[in-house]
Amino acid sequence: LKDDKIFRMYYRGLPAAGRDGTDLESTCYAESADGLQWRKPDLGLFKVNGTTKNNVILKNQAPCSHNFSPFIDTNPETVADERYKALGGTSTSGLVAFSSGDGIRWKRLRPKAVISRGAFDSQNVSFWSESEGCYVGYYRVWVGPDRQLTKSGGDSYRWIGRCTSPDFVNWTKVEPVDFGELPLEHYYNQRMQPYLRAPHIYVGLPARFML
């Protein structure tokens, strides 16, 4: 994230490959002044492998570190200690909402998940939409041949769903994104964001899932 004069990077820490969403996963943090040279600060927030000398900013929140996805909240009405927000979780937990005042120390906005229907196993993108005047979320769902929401398996397709919220806690029901008459195929990560010079236009780069 480009945050004024600093770049902030958030990534999953995992000492060994294994099942998604376990207690082994954590969220780590690095920062840079130019986007090229990065440093991992010793934050001392969580003990990992017997020491607090690390750059971990989220721990003991399984399965939320599996895909913790922060953004800088540009809502003009947001309060200072919630300037950063994030969604994280899997289908076992639903998506949990987090907030932070400094981008390093995070808290849950609500004990339980704020979004419950979806696959959630990849990056779940959210942001404040200047043009719509609400928060917008994009994440993975399943659709059938009729392009309506369904469950996994059979002739279902991995697809992109969308929902909105006035406060980042209460969300509308998910709706599948309409890609027009394009043929059905599997989509995974999509990284949807408002375009810098025209924020009413959203740009995404979906990854095709090849079977």
Side-chain angles (χ1 to χ4, degrees):
L1 304 179
K2 180 64 167 65
D3 189 6
D4 194 17
K5 296 181 179 181
I6 189 173
F7 291 89
R8 302 182 185 274
M9 179 192 296
Y10 300 88
Y11 62 95
R12 181 175 62 199
L14 183 61
R19 183 172 55 85
D20 293 352
T22 68
D23 290 332
L24 291 176
E25 294 178 338
S26 62
T27 303
C28 302
Y29 170 81
E31 60 187 25
S32 170
D34 59 7
L36 298 174
Q37 302 296 320
W38 292 84
R39 73 182 191 94
K40 300 176 181 179
D42 290 329
L43 301 174
L45 298 178
F46 298 96
K47 180 180 287 188
V48 180
N49 294 332
T51 179
T52 58
K53 191 177 178 61
N54 57 58
N55 62 327
V56 173
I57 55 100
L58 194 72
K59 185 65 175 172
N60 307 320
Q61 295 277 2
C64 298
S65 283
H66 180 66
N67 49 17
F68 191 75
S69 302
F71 69 96
I72 300 171
D73 188 356
T74 57
N75 180 355
E77 297 184 2
T78 195
V79 295
D81 64 353
E82 295 182 359
R83 181 170 176 262
Y84 304 84
K85 290 186 172 65
L87 292 174
T90 64
S91 58
T92 60
S93 65
L95 289 184
V96 178
F98 292 83
S99 69
S100 171
D102 59 6
I104 294 176
R105 296 161 182 83
W106 293 82
K107 64 180 180 181
R108 289 192 180 210
L109 284 175
R110 182 171 159 180
K112 296 183 179 181
V114 296
I115 303 175
S116 57
R117 182 172 184 179
F120 308 141
D121 58 348
S122 54
Q123 189 175 28
N124 307 289
V125 174
S126 54
F127 55 85
W128 170 257
S129 170
E130 176 185 337
S131 61
E132 295 185 65
C134 63
Y135 295 98
V136 181
Y138 289 92
Y139 53 91
R140 196 172 72 74
V141 294
W142 293 88
V143 297
D146 59 357
R147 302 173 191 261
Q148 298 302 306
L149 293 175
T150 185
K151 295 181 179 180
S152 62
D155 54 2
S156 297
Y157 290 83
R158 295 168 176 83
W159 205 252
I160 300 170
R162 165 194 151 99
C163 56
T164 63
S165 170
D167 54 12
F168 206 65
V169 171
N170 299 287
W171 292 83
T172 59
K173 291 183 178 180
V174 61
E175 296 182 359
V177 173
D178 183 0
F179 292 127
E181 297 303 317
L182 291 176
L184 282 166
E185 59 181 327
H186 293 274
Y187 291 121
Y188 226 80
N189 294 323
Q190 30 73 30
R191 203 65 192 99
M192 201 74 71
Q193 290 289 293
Y195 180 57
L196 179 63
R197 296 175 180 83
H200 64 289
I201 297 175
Y202 304 157
V203 178
L205 296 170
R208 296 173 65 199
F209 189 91
M210 307 299 291
L211 297 177

